[in-house]
Amino acid sequence: ALLAVFVWWEARVPEPILPPRLFRNRAVAVSFAVAALSGGALLGASVFLPLFLQAVAGASATNSGLLLAPLMLSLTVASVFAGRRISRTGRYRGLLLAGVSVGVAGMALLSTLDSGTSRLSVSVFMVVVGVGMGMSMPVLNLATQNAVPFEDLGTATSAITFARSLGGAFGVAAFGAVMTTRLHSRLTVLLGDVDVDRIANGPAQIRRLAEPLRSQVI
């Protein structure tokens, strides 16, 4: 409802914060959508991978954060590579398509994680995601800036950043809702009268369960 009111208002005020005319430009509309999806994927991975590493792989809270280093380092390196490549050739469409493709492949690999996945495999999957995101995210800004007139340059650039943040917020909320619902329903069947919330929110509590129940919960 608030989104509908926002669109209605922005279409009528003389100086809108986010001019609707921008989205008549195909490049801007596509970049906005891709930025939202990539923001959801990247933030979702950053939030739920440490949870997986703690609850399933047995890492400590500190180590689970450090184990995200392959994701962040590969993203940084790929961003630098993409920027230098664009500066040298002046072309960015191929980088964007390659980055999105690699990012999708990385997320598909993350979807295969289970209790038997090694930490090395998790790190490799994170590198794939990081490379894909690093190659595509800077290009979205450049593609948008090249597609709009000079007077809309600042607004269009901030719109892409807003889309990435918005996608991250919605993505984490949606992923969290799915995970919580499925986890609680399955743990209720598995544990019966045991406090499901205590088990679901505490990796240390999972480790205290006796076998074979502990392996089943993991």
Side-chain angles (χ1 to χ4, degrees):
L2 290 175
L3 180 61
V5 171
F6 177 77
V7 173
W8 174 82
W9 181 259
E10 291 294 280
R12 283 158 177 77
V13 294
E15 295 185 10
I17 297 173
L18 192 60
R21 69 175 182 277
L22 288 178
F23 298 97
R24 299 190 191 103
N25 186 310
R26 184 180 177 185
V28 175
V30 170
S31 296
F32 194 91
V34 174
L37 291 172
S38 63
L42 181 60
L43 193 57
S46 301
V47 169
F48 291 103
L49 275 171
L51 179 60
F52 170 84
L53 291 168
Q54 290 180 61
V56 178
S60 66
T62 302
N63 286 340
S64 66
L66 292 175
L67 289 171
L68 285 179
L71 174 64
M72 300 308 171
L73 288 175
S74 59
L75 189 150
T76 302
V77 171
S79 295
V80 173
F81 167 79
R84 290 186 174 181
R85 179 77 177 176
I86 294 169
S87 297
R88 188 164 56 249
T89 65
R91 299 177 181 177
Y92 54 82
R93 183 176 180 181
L95 279 173
L96 179 59
L97 294 175
V100 170
S101 300
V102 173
V104 170
M107 295 302 294
L109 289 172
L110 289 182
S111 72
T112 67
L113 297 180
D114 58 27
S115 58
T117 306
S118 67
R119 292 190 187 182
L120 177 60
S121 296
V122 177
S123 297
V124 172
F125 297 167
M126 283 193 280
V127 168
V128 177
V129 173
V131 169
M133 296 298 174
M135 289 175 63
S136 60
M137 290 172 69
V139 180
L140 293 174
N141 291 336
L142 184 60
T144 301
Q145 290 167 351
N146 285 340
V148 298
F150 180 78
E151 59 269 20
D152 289 331
L153 196 61
T155 302
T157 304
S158 62
I160 295 300
T161 304
F162 172 68
R164 195 173 292 125
S165 301
L166 195 65
F170 276 102
V172 170
F175 298 153
V178 171
M179 190 200 74
T180 301
T181 301
R182 295 187 65 189
L183 186 63
H184 275 245
S185 63
R186 293 188 180 192
L187 287 182
T188 300
V189 173
L190 189 62
L191 300 175
D193 295 332
V194 176
D195 187 349
V196 172
D197 287 328
R198 180 172 60 85
I199 299 297
N201 295 319
Q205 300 294 332
I206 297 175
R207 302 298 163 190
R208 295 193 182 101
L209 295 173
E211 291 289 0
L213 188 59
R214 179 172 60 202
S215 296
Q216 292 171 342
V217 169
I218 290 175

